[in-house]
Structure formats: structure tokens, C-alpha cells
Amino acid sequence: MFQKKILNTLVTGAIVSMVAATQSMAASTGFDTFTPLTSSVPGGSLPESSPFELGNASWTQVSIANRANQLAQGQANSGNWDMMTANETGVDAGRYLFMPFETGTAGVQRVDLWNPDYNTRTVTLVAPGAQGFVAGDASRWTPWGSYLTAEESWGAGSTKGRLFELTNSVTATGTGDSDFIHRSILPRVSHEGLAFDKDNAMYFIDEFNGGSIYKFVSANPNATNGDDYFSAGQTFVMLVDGGGNANATGAITWEPITDVNGAAIPGVSVLNADGSIDGRLTADVVLGTNYQRPEDLEIKTLANGDQILYVATTTTDEVYSFNLASNTANLFINSATLDQATGLGVGGVFNNPDNLAIDAEGNIYVIEDQPGGSADIWFATDTNHDGVAESVGRWASMSTLGAEPTGLYFDKFNPNIAYVNVQHPTNGDDRLIMLAVPEPETYAMLLAGLGLIGASTWRGKKA
């Protein structure tokens, strides 16, 4: 049976390897050792349970959850599994993965990486359509230890564009006991990426041609719960090179679009019929810089403590970097960036950058919003950390027909484990794929009979 094969192969090996690799984010990774692929893998050419051509033949991949199985187990699951994160802090840190459903009846599911039973490790915590939740996309673990997601849906007259917190994400059982709370202090936008900086300011975007980049600065940045963090705070929109422009680089300033309590600023904030603030129209009032479908966000901390915010813009096939210390915006990747496989400008084969991910060494990965047969994941090289990539290399390519890869997430407790979703395939069977870099210690421990999965395996990893 396929589920048992998983336990006898990668899942067992990968989990055991985590015992041998209890490194933190400062650890090195084997994911940066690869030969750039010269082209995309042909659509439909690989099994859907192992759908990636990888840049290193020694890496392994296996499906650890799939939607058809969830439905067979009686789980409510509307599919379109999107971005993911883990419980990165707290008790049993690293045990769970969380991801929303990007559908008209969205929800949230949790995958228990300690559970060896394929049939029971995944459970729906927020039922599809709860509170009218739609187009779930964002996934981020909070500094105080809970899960955030949000709606990638906004337009004139809409009631969506909301941010939600699942406050009991680890303890919820999936039996209707989840505390799924709309955090209404944020202006309404079409959400995708969320990220926190070292001062716990939260960054987000409006996923729209002409969308802006925002940050929310809580009045209680060191809050220990979401009620306090979101009780008061101010939202700002980014202006680059003075604002009133598009796709700009240069000096960054932040213009407030709410007051310090999150309320409307008279003459600035544009209100919706329900009294909430329209983040899109308000950004236009203050001349926020427009980007063309900004989507995912990642923040990287440099050795000197500076932080760089990366934003993928899908329509223009670009990735931008924003140094939050020097307040400088740069173009990180575009069509002129060198392709590591050819030495020439990457050109049109770098298409629709959507999701971003960051590994244990701070390397940036860019995932394309493309169908199987042209859906690639790119590795960016920025040796001098100036926010401008010297080159990109095709790190992996996905073959599943009708699908896109999404939610690439590098395990924060083992630098040689990563996860990626295969979203909305033609057959409707979304999958969660685990990727692993084999380690010699893994096989030695397996031979020693230590291939056990469970809480005892993970005790050394708690935050």
C-alpha cells in the first residue's frame, strides 16, 4: 500500500534525519547544491505522487497528503491547497503544517508531521465556507504563536479582503472547536503574502495590477496574543521615489492610511459601506507606489542585522527587494538576470513569479504561477547581498497537468527538508510533497533501527 511505502521510505528517513540535524536556521543546507535544469519538464511526464524534476538527482520526494484521501476519510476539503507554514515556536514546534483552501468556500487544514498514519495526519480545522471565508491564500506563523491567513479577494463593494487568526491552531481538534477570528483593524485588500520584521511590524500586499505594499505597526508589538496585537495600530502604504508612480526603485517612505488606533484619517481613508477602510483606494489617495500583481513576501536578515523584504510581481515577471534599514528599493530579478544554465539573460522562460521561499542559508526561491509542463521553481544567487540577484537557476520543474506549485516552505528545524503543494491539478487531487536531501546519518540511524516517528523523535527541536 502506498501509505505504508511512505513510512518505509522518505517519511521515516526524513523524520529520523531530523534527530541527526537539530540545527537552527543558521545551519547549512544541501538544497543549494544542484545543477540548474536547462528546460521545464514535459507536462504529464512524471507520476503525480512524485511530480518534480529536481536539480539534484539524489534529492527525494514523496506525497505525504492528498485531497482525494482526505475526502475518502470524510474530511471536508474544498481543495486548492495554497501557501503553508508550520508552528515555528512553542510546545511541539515544527510538528504541524497549516494551509488554507483557495476556493469560494475556503477553509484551513493542518498536517501532523509526527503522525505515521497517512489517513489521519491531515485534518480540516476551519470548515469550508466558515464565516463566508473565500480564497484563502496567505499563511504565516505569528510572533506570539498562532496562525494567520487571509482572503485573496477584493473589489469595489466587496465584503471580503479580510485577515483571520486561528488562535488555537495547535490545540484545535477539527471538531468545530477552532477559534477563527477576523482581525478587522487592517484595511481591506486582496491578500497574499504576509511577513513580520524583527520589530514585529507586519507587511502585506494588495494582489492586483496596480496593487501597493503595506505595513501594519501594532501599538503593542510585543503582545503575547492576537487580541492585544490587533487591538490598536497604524497601517502605512509604501511610496518609492516619491510615490504616485509604478514599478519604482529608489528611496522608500511610508505614508499612513489609518490613525494610530487603526481608525480612518479624515480626508485620506476611503470607507466601505460597512465602515471598514478600502486599502486599495486609500493607497491611491496618498500616491502609494503601484506594482503589477504583487503576491508573496519574504523577509531575510543579513549578517549586519539589516532586513530585506522581497516581493514577487507576477504580471511584470519581476521580483523586488526593499532594504528596510536603508529604505532603498531595488529590482532583484527580471528578464535580464542571468540564467545559470546558459549564462544569458533568463528572458521569457522566467514567467509569472508568484510564491517566494527562503532556506536555512537565506537563499531566495521563486515559484512560478504556471501549469505543469512550464511550472518551475528558481533559485536566486545574490552573493554580495545587495538586493540584486546576479543569476537565477531552474531548481525544480513540475509536470502535473493543470496544477501549479505553491507554498514552498523550508523546515525551520531541519535545513534539508522542504514542503510544496501541488495546487488545483486537472484531476482535483491536490497534494503535499515532501522534499529531502539525503544525509549519511539518516541511513546509519535507519540501519540501527531508530526509524520511529513520534513525539520522542522530536524532543530536541523545541523552541
Side-chain angles (χ1 to χ4, degrees):
M1 197 173 170
F2 181 62
Q3 292 89 330
K4 291 183 178 178
K5 288 175 68 178
I6 291 177
L7 299 179
N8 291 331
T9 54
L10 182 60
V11 171
T12 299
I15 302 273
V16 171
S17 76
M18 293 181 184
V19 185
T22 55
Q23 302 99 320
S24 69
M25 280 288 288
S28 61
T29 179
F31 280 125
D32 61 358
T33 303
F34 70 102
T35 301
L37 303 175
T38 58
S39 62
S40 302
V41 67
S45 62
L46 298 175
E48 294 198 3
S49 58
S50 51
F52 289 94
E53 182 179 353
L54 302 170
N56 188 319
S58 73
W59 299 345
T60 48
Q61 59 181 307
V62 69
S63 173
I64 60 171
N66 69 291
R67 180 176 178 241
N69 186 72
Q70 292 313 109
L71 294 174
Q73 304 307 314
Q75 291 285 328
N77 195 303
S78 58
N80 283 18
W81 301 358
D82 211 320
M83 295 199 292
M84 74 180 89
T85 191
N87 57 319
E88 296 175 345
T89 58
V91 176
D92 295 341
R95 175 173 179 168
Y96 300 108
L97 293 175
F98 302 88
M99 62 201 72
F101 310 143
E102 192 184 6
T103 66
T105 53
V108 176
Q109 69 179 8
R110 182 183 67 200
V111 181
D112 186 348
L113 297 171
W114 295 12
N115 186 349
D117 189 336
Y118 192 97
N119 293 325
T120 61
R121 67 167 63 113
T122 306
V123 61
T124 296
L125 297 181
V126 176
Q131 299 188 50
F133 184 45
V134 303
D137 196 333
S139 283
R140 186 63 65 175
W141 192 251
T142 69
W144 57 91
S146 67
Y147 173 72
L148 291 180
T149 187
E151 295 172 313
E152 188 191 359
S153 177
W154 181 246
S158 175
T159 60
K160 307 304 180 183
R162 299 171 293 173
L163 176 78
F164 284 89
E165 181 184 6
L166 183 56
T167 61
N168 63 337
S169 48
V170 170
T171 59
T173 64
T175 59
D177 61 343
S178 295
D179 294 324
F180 196 54
I181 300 173
H182 170 212
R183 296 304 186 186
S184 58
I185 194 169
L186 252 64
R188 303 291 183 91
V189 297
S190 181
H191 283 281
E192 183 154 335
L194 298 173
F196 290 91
D197 68 17
K198 60 186 177 182
D199 297 320
N200 294 340
M202 188 182 75
Y203 297 78
F204 60 102
I205 55 84
D206 183 17
E207 202 257 284
F208 173 71
N209 277 335
S212 292
I213 299 168
Y214 306 78
K215 72 173 175 179
F216 171 75
V217 179
S218 173
N220 305 294
N222 297 316
T224 59
N225 60 74
D227 287 345
D228 290 341
Y229 183 85
F230 292 111
S231 64
Q234 190 164 29
T235 297
F236 301 80
V237 68
M238 181 187 288
L239 279 62
V240 179
D241 195 27
N245 49 16
N247 309 321
T249 59
I252 297 168
T253 56
W254 293 94
E255 188 70 20
I257 60 172
T258 74
D259 70 14
V260 295
N261 295 309
I265 299 174
V268 173
S269 307
V270 178
L271 298 181
N272 299 307
D274 62 1
S276 62
I277 297 173
D278 185 322
R280 180 176 298 170
L281 294 181
T282 305
D284 291 341
V285 170
V286 300
L287 304 180
T289 296
N290 295 328
Y291 293 92
Q292 310 313 306
R293 276 186 69 196
E295 300 214 29
D296 199 8
L297 306 177
E298 276 293 346
I299 292 180
K300 171 182 175 178
T301 302
L302 302 181
N304 66 0
D306 288 2
Q307 292 193 299
I308 298 181
L309 171 70
Y310 297 87
V311 179
T313 58
T314 300
T315 300
T316 53
D317 299 333
E318 295 170 330
V319 179
Y320 288 81
S321 65
F322 305 92
N323 189 306
L324 302 177
S326 66
N327 285 315
T328 304
N330 281 301
L331 189 55
F332 184 59
I333 299 170
N334 68 357
S335 61
T337 304
L338 297 182
D339 185 339
Q340 295 169 11
T342 66
L344 304 174
V346 68
V349 299
F350 181 77
N351 267 315
N352 291 5
D354 186 341
N355 286 177
L356 300 174
I358 185 168
D359 70 14
E361 291 185 352
N363 297 307
I364 301 296
Y365 298 73
V366 185
I367 302 92
E368 294 179 328
D369 182 356
Q370 292 273 84
S374 55
D376 299 324
I377 302 175
W378 296 82
F379 177 100
T381 297
D382 180 13
T383 304
N384 61 1
H385 307 294
D386 66 349
V388 179
E390 292 92 40
S391 63
V392 292
R394 191 184 274 106
W395 183 79
S397 185
M398 191 199 70
S399 72
T400 303
L401 295 175
E404 64 174 293
T406 186
L408 179 64
Y409 178 82
F410 290 87
D411 193 295
K412 297 299 185 287
F413 301 96
N414 188 320
N416 291 315
I417 298 291
Y419 308 91
V420 62
N421 278 324
V422 179
Q423 188 192 45
H424 60 66
T426 299
N427 65 6
D429 192 15
D430 295 67
R431 286 186 181 273
L432 170 59
I433 303 294
M434 176 189 281
L435 306 175
V437 176
E439 302 170 23
E441 302 97 315
T442 301
Y443 305 111
M445 294 182 75
L446 282 172
L447 291 174
L450 298 178
L452 300 176
I453 300 175
S456 62
T457 306
W458 293 66
R459 293 302 181 196
K461 305 194 313 88
K462 291 182 182 178

